[in-house]
Amino acid sequence: MATFLTALVAIGTYQALLRPAGLAKPGGVAVDGLTVRDSSRRLSVAPDGKVTFVAFLDFECEVCGEVYPVVEQLRAGYGDRVTFVVRYFPLEGHVNAQRAARAVEAAAQQGQLEAMYRRMFQTQPEWAEQQEPKDELFRRYAADLGLDMDRWDAAYAADSTWEPIQADIDDGLALGVTATPALFLNGDELESTSLLDLSRALDQALAR
């Protein structure tokens, strides 16, 4: 528990630094530009690398919560034919969005990206749009997943955990992202979030 309290103190001290930075020049981006980096978090990877679907998400965003099952249906239907990438874009107006992104990234460092990503959206009504910090609740989610809690606590508070989140924010801003979800297919932004339209876009990309 001492470790976790230390982590919370560190997070409190670090809050002033959690605002999106200016348009930093991104490094190590993949061939389709700013939409995905080599280090970006992937839910699945297509061996041929032909089609990449990228979602800039805020785990506290209600619309992101509505799009989550659509993306899951796409993942189930397209399997390993499409690479699905999650990028963090916590919005300033959401009290727990940055904390949720930290919680997911800290879990990803233990190989549990998908499990925590699912947990955040499945439990969104329990914690979103609330004004009190939900650090303890997110810690409980991590414990429920069987994570090494000493490692998770340290990662949750670490500057190095925020760095990839900030990189995602910077790339999103450079791409003109102002709201979530922002969806991209092979570097091109998609206007629709409907299952039918997204399926058609994926089919067209796969057919090329």
Side-chain angles (χ1 to χ4, degrees):
M1 181 58 69
T3 300
F4 184 53
L5 292 175
T6 301
L8 290 180
V9 171
I11 288 171
T13 304
Y14 195 58
Q15 285 300 305
L17 302 178
L18 297 187
R19 294 183 296 273
L23 300 184
K25 182 178 180 181
V29 296
V31 292
D32 63 334
L34 299 174
T35 55
V36 61
R37 294 172 177 253
D38 292 338
S39 58
S40 295
R41 295 296 185 182
R42 290 159 170 79
L43 294 169
S44 61
V45 177
D48 61 11
K50 181 178 179 179
V51 178
T52 300
F53 181 95
V54 178
F56 284 81
L57 299 172
D58 174 344
F59 293 105
E60 192 167 355
C61 163
E62 183 177 352
V63 180
C64 291
E66 294 171 355
V67 169
Y68 161 72
V70 174
V71 174
E72 291 303 287
Q73 288 182 68
L74 294 174
R75 291 181 60 209
Y78 289 88
D80 62 1
R81 292 182 292 160
V82 175
T83 296
F84 286 89
V85 180
V86 172
R87 303 205 66 181
Y88 306 106
F89 203 81
L91 299 173
E92 283 290 304
H94 290 154
V95 170
N96 286 292
Q98 294 172 345
R99 291 177 170 86
R102 279 182 168 274
V104 174
E105 177 59 22
Q109 292 175 24
Q110 295 190 45
Q112 293 295 325
L113 167 69
E114 181 171 354
M116 188 63 92
Y117 154 87
R118 289 180 179 274
R119 181 64 63 89
M120 285 297 174
F121 281 126
Q122 290 169 351
T123 64
Q124 189 189 70
E126 299 176 11
W127 58 269
E129 302 297 337
Q130 299 184 35
Q131 297 305 305
E132 66 272 17
K134 295 296 182 179
D135 306 276
E136 289 287 353
L137 179 62
F138 296 159
R139 187 177 193 270
R140 191 175 73 198
Y141 294 165
D144 289 344
L145 294 177
L147 300 181
D148 180 325
M149 294 310 298
D150 287 340
R151 285 180 58 196
W152 188 88
D153 288 340
Y156 187 62
D159 290 3
S160 59
T161 296
W162 180 254
E163 289 170 1
I165 301 170
Q166 185 66 64
D168 285 0
I169 293 170
D170 290 342
D171 286 352
L173 291 173
L175 287 163
V177 174
T178 59
T180 54
L183 308 179
F184 293 81
L185 182 60
N186 285 353
D188 295 325
E189 187 166 11
L190 300 169
E191 295 183 356
S192 175
T193 59
S194 78
L195 179 61
L196 179 59
D197 289 342
L198 294 177
S199 295
R200 286 174 174 169
L202 289 174
D203 288 341
Q204 291 171 3
L206 288 165
R208 289 182 187 135

